Amino acid sequence: DTAVSQTPKYLVTQMGNDKSIKCEQNLGHDTMYWYKQDSKKFLKIMFSYNNKELIINETVPNRFSPKSPDKAHLNLHINSLELGDSAVYFCASRGELATGELFFGEGSRLTVL
Amino acid sequence: AQSVSQHNHHVILSEAASLELGCNYSYGGTVNLFWYVQYPGQHLQLLLKYFSGDPLVKGIKGFEAEFIKSKFSFNLRKPSVQWSDTAEYFCAVKDGGATNKLIFGTGTLLAVQP
């Protein structure tokens, strides 16, 4: 029973298209995140939601729009895809507030051609 | 804002060798520190964490890390590595601001040769 699950795991698409990645967690956590991992494995935070409210929005192009219909779901929609958007996108949820430990999904590898 | 440095980008060891991966964070105060591991093609998994108490933290799979406040360091160690330890290792610190986000280092790729 996967704690943090993302779909799809792989996504290959053309430049200019719009795509979405979905994330769900069954851990009962209030806070969820999207991280982007580039080809050099660098992990950069993109967004965070706490109980459906946006709390972190790092310098991300507005082509990226997160949506949280409830605290167990955080989806990522990307408009007008560009080559530089190719990366692995990781969803995560946060455990105890005191320690800040993150639980990661398995990642969604996006390839833009 | 907090930042994390991992100075070893790529480490190659033979099986049974000892491992130490460096991690430094940028400023003091109360810190929560983490080491995550990413096996090839997989997601990040927590190896160990420090948030208070004993500065020597033991994690899974025989890993440990030592928090040295005076050096702003949280180095990861393992006395004897195995081929299955081949992976990318990320140090992370919890940012002390209101968002409590995790800031990750650039990662260290460990390759263990059999």
Side-chain angles (χ1 to χ4, degrees), chain B residues 5-9 27 30-31 33 35 37 39 50 52 58 61-62 65 67 81 83 86-87 90 104-105 107-108 113:
Chain B
S5 299
Q6 291 181 244
H7 304 295
N8 314 104
H9 296 295
Y27 64 81
T30 303
V31 286
L33 295 154
W35 275 98
V37 61
Y39 297 105
Y50 169 81
S52 66
K58 294 201 183 297
K61 306 189 180 190
F67 169 55
V81 294
W83 178 78
T86 294
F90 293 92
F104 284 86
T108 297
Q113 297 174 329

Side-chain angles (χ1 to χ4, degrees), chain A residues 48-108:
Chain A
S48 176
Y49 271 72
N50 180 268
N51 206 3
K52 302 193 292 178
E53 259 192 67
L54 180 67
I55 58 171
I56 297 175
N57 184 351
E58 296 288 302
T59 332
V60 177
N62 57 16
R63 297 182 295 103
F64 289 78
S65 52
K67 281 192 172 48
S68 182
D70 55 62
K71 73 174 192 177
H73 295 83
L74 180 61
N75 303 324
L76 183 64
H77 188 75
I78 316 170
N79 288 327
S80 304
L81 279 156
E82 300 177 357
L83 293 177
D85 298 331
S86 295
V88 181
Y89 293 85
F90 285 99
C91 177
S93 71
R94 190 178 73 205
E96 298 174 35
L97 184 62
T99 62
E101 176 186 347
L102 295 185
F103 294 80
F104 283 86
E106 295 189 346
S108 297

Side-chain angles (χ1 to χ4, degrees), chain A residues 8-13 19-21 81 108-112:
Chain A
K9 288 190 170 37
Y10 299 95
L11 191 50
V12 181
T13 189
K19 290 294 177 187
S20 292
I21 307 172
L81 279 156
S108 297
R109 181 177 292 277
L110 171 65
T111 303
V112 182

Side-chain angles (χ1 to χ4, degrees), chain A residues 35 58 98-99 101-102 105, chain B residues 32 34 36 43 49 101-102:
Chain A
Y35 279 82
E58 296 288 302
T99 62
E101 176 186 347
L102 295 185
Chain B
N32 294 158
F34 306 82
Y36 279 84
H43 64 291
K49 63 185 178 185
K101 63 188 179 187
L102 280 197

Side-chain angles (χ1 to χ4, degrees), chain B residues 96-107:
Chain B
T99 58
N100 285 306
K101 63 188 179 187
L102 280 197
I103 309 295
F104 284 86
T106 49

Side-chain angles (χ1 to χ4, degrees), chain A residues 13-30:
Chain A
T13 189
Q14 300 282 342
M15 266 177 27
N17 285 349
D18 304 338
K19 290 294 177 187
S20 292
I21 307 172
K22 295 185 176 182
C23 179
E24 175 181 5
Q25 53 97 1
N26 62 8
L27 297 167
H29 295 161
D30 286 339

Side-chain angles (χ1 to χ4, degrees), chain B residues 48-62:
Chain B
L48 47 80
K49 63 185 178 185
Y50 169 81
F51 53 93
S52 66
D54 189 345
L56 186 60
V57 179
K58 294 201 183 297
I60 61 171
K61 306 189 180 190

